[in-house]
Amino acid sequence: ECRRQLQARLAEMESLRGAHQSLERQLQELEERHSAEAAGLQDTIGQLEDDLRNTKNEMAQHLREYQDLLNVKMALDIEIAAYRKLLEGEETLFSMGSVGLSALNPLPNPTYSFQPRGFSSST
């Protein structure tokens, strides 16, 4: 009876050792898989951080270009306003009617001549 119980316990112990080894292998495989996934995720995080950094740099460059264009636009707006003011002054001067051409150009022989130029578009 004792031998039979001993053999039963030994068989049970061998069965449990096999189950233990199987569980150890499964645990090791899970740890390896988890490590591989974690490494892949770390690579993805690094790539996303690089993409974010590049996107921020591009955005800063676009912002600088926009600011430059805005400055040019403001300068052109100021220049347009100045020319408008000059044109309004000319219109006022011509609409007065009391000023003759001789009053506008007191010199009999002007030292310059106005020659309008044709505009050509260049690409």
Side-chain angles (χ1 to χ4, degrees):
E1 178 70 26
C2 285
R3 280 186 190 154
R4 197 170 26 100
Q5 284 182 350
L6 180 62
Q7 285 178 350
R9 298 288 182 234
L10 286 174
E12 186 180 342
M13 192 167 77
E14 285 299 318
S15 173
L16 290 174
R17 276 189 191 147
H20 182 281
Q21 289 175 350
S22 175
L23 290 173
E24 286 288 331
R25 279 193 305 269
Q26 286 178 357
L27 179 61
Q28 186 177 1
E29 289 172 3
L30 284 174
E31 286 176 349
E32 289 172 359
R33 195 175 331 141
H34 174 70
S35 294
E37 287 178 12
L41 291 174
Q42 287 296 334
D43 290 344
T44 303
I45 289 171
Q47 184 179 3
L48 289 173
E49 286 175 346
D50 287 344
D51 290 347
L52 179 63
R53 197 175 310 108
N54 290 337
T55 302
K56 283 183 179 181
N57 288 337
E58 287 178 18
M59 198 166 71
Q61 178 64 29
H62 289 303
L63 185 61
R64 284 190 295 274
E65 290 172 0
Y66 174 76
Q67 190 65 43
D68 291 343
L69 288 173
L70 192 60
N71 290 339
V72 168
K73 180 196 176 291
M74 288 174 54
L76 288 173
D77 286 345
I78 291 170
E79 194 170 337
I80 288 169
Y83 280 117
R84 258 196 202 124
K85 191 172 182 180
L86 285 172
L87 284 174
E88 288 171 0
E90 294 272 331
E91 288 174 2
T92 304
L93 192 63
F94 284 124
S95 67
M96 288 173 57
S98 64
V99 178
L101 287 177
S102 61
L104 288 176
N105 190 3
L107 298 174
N109 293 325
T111 59
Y112 65 92
S113 64
F114 175 73
Q115 295 178 351
R117 293 185 198 173
F119 290 102
S120 64
S121 65
S122 61
T123 57

